[in-house]
Amino acid sequence: MTWRAWLPTFLVLTSVLVGALAWVRGRPVAPVDVEVLAVASPRILVAGEAYHVEAGIEVPAGRFERRFYVCVRGRCVQSGRQRLDGPAEWWGYVGTIEVPEGRHTAGVTVHARTVGPAWRPVARYEWEVVARDAR
Amino acid sequence: MTRGDGLALLAAVAATLATAAAIDRGAALPPVDAARVAAAPPAPCPTAEPVLTGALDAPVPLPAGDEIGLYTDAALRFPACGPGRLRLAARGGRSGDHGAHLVVTVRDRVLWDGEVRERRELALDVPVAGWVTIAFVNDLYRPPVDRNLYLDDVAFVPTPAGP
């Protein structure tokens, strides 16, 4: 069979995969449900030095789990997950940024889920950082 | 199915999974509207004493008038119910090549961002209501180097309401 003959199969498989992912993600948390209260991180920093990112979020009534991704230069690192009984605020460490000299975009993505297997990004905050030479 | 077809199939599946992973990381999520970040604290909004958060299990009230040493990355936070002036004094400990890095923010605005070595007194205008954070973000403990940040005289004076 030629590649063209397999095209419908590809499309069906892709649809099945996307559908399965949508199903696994389960009951969504609306973006308005989780609010970013603050993100504290330097904008001007020293290249090659590690800086912590602290943040606060607020979740509505219900039982949630949260986790964070801190992304710099396309590389994302996840911090630990924690269960929250809302309505509640949570404040603390969400990740670390460390960049070479130059201008970069950093970002924090908050993921939340209700009880179940499905994580969903619910908020994202981005900022520009400028790293100067360490010398 | 030829070998080429198999590779094409694998490529399609890999592309789908990569897209799903990108979505899962939030890559497809639009940035949060800056106006929504750190919205003003809910009413009623008494401006509270700053509390310490970070690598701690629970917030700790800042002792009034005392110096507080941050020996690990941590942040003070308090709700500012309106514009005002934040006063604080900071000094960095032994720091190796770089000083302790202090970041002060309200909502999405950075009020102060820089290294602190010698004692420094700051008076910062807080232009809007919102959560104010005072964060130490580059802790280092590599004996004998121990980079810490010390804060005292932290006070927020709200701008008097107009007539």
Side-chain angles (χ1 to χ4, degrees), chain A residues 1 3 6 10 13-14 21 35-37 40 42-44 49 51-52 67 89 91 109 111 124-125 132 134, chain B residues 5 8-9 16 20 24-26 29 32 36-39 53 73 77 98 101 108 110 113 115 131 133 137:
Chain A
M1 295 177 70
W3 188 89
W6 279 96
F10 299 155
L13 276 174
T14 303
L21 280 168
E35 187 166 31
V36 178
L37 297 173
R43 269 62 170 173
I44 301 169
E49 288 276 310
Y51 295 85
H52 277 207
R67 70 183 182 189
E89 291 173 13
W91 294 83
T109 303
H111 283 214
R124 190 167 68 160
Y125 179 67
R132 60 180 170 80
Chain B
D5 294 338
L9 177 61
T16 304
D24 193 48
R25 285 201 309 269
L29 191 72
V32 175
R36 281 195 61 241
V37 174
T53 188
D73 295 288
R77 59 179 163 84
H98 306 290
H101 201 110
D108 59 330
V110 177
D113 181 5
E115 290 186 5
W131 285 97
T133 63
V137 293

Side-chain angles (χ1 to χ4, degrees), chain A residues 1-4 6 9-10 13-14 17-18 21 25 31-47 49-54 58 67 69 71 74 76 89 91-93 109-111 119-126 132-135, chain B residues 1-2 4-5 8-10 12-13 16-17 20 23-34 36-39 42 53-56 72-75 77 97-98 101 103 105 107-110 113-115 131-140 147:
Chain A
M1 295 177 70
T2 65
W3 188 89
R4 289 181 190 282
W6 279 96
T9 309
F10 299 155
L13 276 174
T14 303
L17 276 171
V18 170
L21 280 168
R25 291 166 82 82
V32 294
D33 283 344
V34 176
E35 187 166 31
V36 178
L37 297 173
V39 176
S41 178
R43 269 62 170 173
I44 301 169
L45 39 80
V46 177
E49 288 276 310
Y51 295 85
H52 277 207
V53 180
E54 306 272 335
E58 185 172 29
R67 70 183 182 189
Y69 278 97
C71 303
C76 299
E89 291 173 13
W91 294 83
Y93 165 80
T109 303
V110 185
H111 283 214
W119 288 100
R120 185 173 189 273
V122 293
R124 190 167 68 160
Y125 179 67
E126 287 186 341
R132 60 180 170 80
D133 192 345
R135 287 167 293 176
Chain B
M1 189 167 83
T2 66
D5 294 338
L9 177 61
L10 281 176
V13 172
T16 304
L17 292 177
I23 291 171
D24 193 48
R25 285 201 309 269
L29 191 72
V32 175
D33 179 3
R36 281 195 61 241
V37 174
T53 188
L56 300 165
T72 185
D73 295 288
R77 59 179 163 84
D97 294 336
H98 306 290
H101 201 110
V103 181
T105 64
R107 292 199 187 182
D108 59 330
R109 305 183 190 194
V110 177
D113 181 5
E115 290 186 5
W131 285 97
V132 175
T133 63
I134 305 167
F136 170 43
V137 293
N138 67 337
D139 179 44
L140 178 68
R147 185 188 295 155

